[in-house]
Amino acid sequence: LPRNLLPTVFSLPQKKADFIALAKTLSEIFLQSSDETVLKNVALSLRFLSHGDHSRAPDGRLQLKNVTQELRDRLVDLFADDILGSAGAEGGSQSKRKRRSNASSPSKRRRGASSTSSRASTADVTDDEDSGIDGATNSADTEYGIYLNLMRMRILFKRCDLSPYLQDEDGTTSSDDDGVEALCSVIADGLAQRLKARKVAPKDDGDDDSNDDDETSTKGESLWDKDVKKVAMTTAKAVDEGISLIISATAWKYREVLEQEDLVVGDDDDVIMDESSKDGEDEEVEDHLVLRLRNRAIALIELCFEQFVEDSGDEDGSVPDYTDEQIAFSVYMQTAGCGAASDLRNLFPKELAGAASPLLRAFSIKNDGRLIGGYVRCFRS
């Protein structure tokens, strides 16, 4: 509906209250809905209300900022929960406080009322102390909450650049880059932990006494054994959404760099660079926000490819090496990895290695053998 309204109407003084009410209603719908089509339509409407030259655009951006920071807070809290059982309650609470501090400096800005509403909208996925439900149910709710909020953030990030809204409350203690990198770090670390813990390994029924399995396999088997709520596919969907979100954030920062460094060539631009303009262009770039975000996405994609399993059984064909759930999880992760690898290789093609700009040369994915190898192995399986 908002896309069919004339922007000039928003500027009328008598429509200010209606505009603010509309923007708040859309924000509430976005934070509570779980339907992807609804989320996409609302995200498009929020972008429409927050952009343009009408006088209510700042009010629209304020609502967009509130939605972005609410989703960030939810994700930080959810990833801080110790659902994998690797730490006790005390360690989990310390981790949560640390992650909040790292991802949003003044968490200090935690909104009491919104914190309550955020948990309610994710089925109370983090209030395990008071809920009285068992650990498996809490784990399933938490994984679903992570998936749902990653999907919301991914949809919103694809529609518009959320970097300015990830700053601290006063906008002075961190830059846009700091906010984006902090959020992506929390997401990437949480997803990597889940992929490592979920790494499937065939059960060796003939070696019941063996205690020599590596730590990763042991954790993976025990986690699969305790998967009574079948949350593996929810985790797989969350990984897919998280990687897409990180790639979207990377693409927005990449676009920003291209514009700031004047690396976008128009139809009327002279693309031939004279010798004098090449001075200082030989210094190689070794560290950059876009590089760090890109490398985090690559690391997650490689972890997805490591979930590969052979769909085979024992020699007599009677006992399968893997359960149906493990095979389904592996296939989903391979498919997600292939799509993300394709996006990254299109965004940072190897041909950029021959660019005149040192930034573009640095951004190029020169060693894409593992990405291609995982892609090929998936299609051959």
Side-chain angles (χ1 to χ4, degrees):
L1 176 62
R3 290 176 289 140
N4 297 313
L5 301 177
L6 293 175
T8 52
V9 177
F10 300 151
S11 301
L12 298 176
Q14 61 269 32
K15 295 298 182 182
K16 179 178 180 179
D18 294 335
F19 179 90
I20 294 176
L22 176 61
K24 286 184 177 179
T25 301
L26 288 171
S27 300
E28 292 173 2
I29 292 173
F30 190 85
L31 290 172
Q32 294 179 18
S33 177
S34 59
D35 183 88
E36 188 168 359
T37 302
V38 173
L39 290 171
K40 286 180 177 179
N41 288 335
V42 175
L44 183 59
S45 297
L46 285 173
R47 184 187 184 280
F48 177 78
L49 294 179
S50 60
H51 290 69
D53 55 0
H54 58 88
S55 62
R56 303 289 173 246
D59 295 323
R61 287 193 289 271
L62 178 61
Q63 291 303 317
L64 191 57
K65 177 181 179 180
N66 291 339
V67 171
T68 301
Q69 294 186 345
E70 174 64 23
L71 290 175
R72 178 193 64 183
D73 291 345
R74 292 184 188 183
L75 289 169
V76 171
D77 282 350
L78 289 166
F79 276 116
D81 282 341
D82 187 24
I83 66 166
L84 298 179
S86 60
E90 182 179 353
S93 63
Q94 291 175 352
S95 174
K96 180 181 292 189
R97 287 193 298 270
K98 180 179 179 182
R99 282 188 184 272
R100 280 188 187 175
S101 175
N102 289 342
S104 57
S105 264
S107 68
K108 315 169 183 179
R109 68 164 280 283
R110 298 293 294 163
R111 301 178 298 279
S114 66
S115 177
T116 302
S117 64
S118 72
R119 293 168 184 262
S121 65
T122 53
D124 293 322
V125 293
T126 57
D127 289 334
D128 53 292
E129 313 90 30
D130 304 321
S131 63
I133 55 180
D134 58 30
T137 301
N138 184 65
S139 174
D141 289 344
T142 301
E143 291 299 284
Y144 181 72
I146 289 174
Y147 157 67
L148 190 57
N149 286 291
L150 282 174
M151 179 176 67
R152 291 167 177 156
M153 182 69 90
R154 184 263 302 173
I155 289 173
L156 201 56
F157 227 135
K158 281 183 177 292
R159 180 56 62 184
C160 55
D161 185 9
L162 302 180
S163 302
Y165 309 122
L166 292 172
Q167 286 182 310
D168 291 338
E169 188 72 358
D170 56 6
T172 59
T173 58
S174 67
S175 66
D176 296 354
D177 292 353
D178 293 336
V180 172
E181 186 170 18
L183 176 64
C184 290
S185 296
V186 170
I187 294 172
D189 291 343
L191 297 181
Q193 182 186 24
R194 282 158 174 76
L195 284 171
K196 290 175 182 177
R198 283 277 175 193
K199 187 173 182 181
V200 295
K203 296 182 179 181
D204 191 352
D205 294 332
D207 253 346
D208 293 336
D209 311 328
S210 175
N211 294 321
D212 299 330
D213 294 335
D214 61 81
E215 184 180 355
T216 301
S217 296
T218 301
K219 287 184 178 180
E221 289 174 358
S222 62
L223 188 59
W224 282 104
D225 291 339
K226 294 186 293 184
D227 194 10
V228 294
K229 292 293 181 178
K230 309 298 182 186
V231 301
M233 290 309 297
T234 304
T235 300
K237 293 177 182 179
V239 172
D240 189 13
E241 295 289 352
I243 296 177
S244 296
L245 192 160
I246 294 174
I247 292 177
S248 293
T250 306
W252 280 111
K253 302 312 294 186
Y254 183 35
R255 179 191 181 208
E256 181 181 305
V257 170
L258 292 179
E259 293 176 346
Q260 288 178 349
E261 300 294 329
D262 198 21
L263 297 175
V264 180
V265 179
D267 294 336
D268 300 329
D269 294 339
D270 186 1
V271 298
I272 300 178
M273 182 184 296
D274 57 23
E275 292 299 324
S276 61
S277 63
K278 293 183 180 180
D279 296 339
E281 291 287 323
D282 295 331
E283 296 182 5
E284 294 298 327
V285 177
E286 297 182 356
D287 183 58
H288 193 279
L289 173 66
V290 174
L291 278 177
R292 295 193 295 272
L293 294 178
R294 185 206 69 180
N295 291 339
R296 279 194 173 275
I298 291 176
L300 284 175
I301 292 170
E302 291 178 351
L303 283 175
C304 289
F305 287 144
E306 288 178 9
Q307 306 300 316
F308 177 81
V309 298
E310 294 284 352
D311 187 5
S312 60
D314 291 346
E315 292 181 356
D316 58 1
S318 58
V319 181
D321 291 334
Y322 306 96
T323 65
D324 292 341
E325 290 80 7
Q326 289 174 326
I327 293 174
F329 179 81
S330 172
V331 171
Y332 197 101
M333 287 292 84
Q334 301 298 302
T335 305
C338 287
S342 178
D343 289 342
L344 272 185
R345 292 181 63 240
N346 281 315
L347 197 58
F348 305 106
K350 185 183 293 186
E351 289 73 15
L352 288 178
S357 168
L359 271 175
L360 293 181
R361 292 199 300 270
F363 294 161
S364 167
I365 301 180
K366 305 176 186 67
N367 301 317
D368 58 353
R370 296 183 68 178
L371 297 181
I372 297 176
Y375 205 106
V376 173
R377 184 176 63 176
C378 174
F379 275 93
R380 284 182 176 177
S381 63

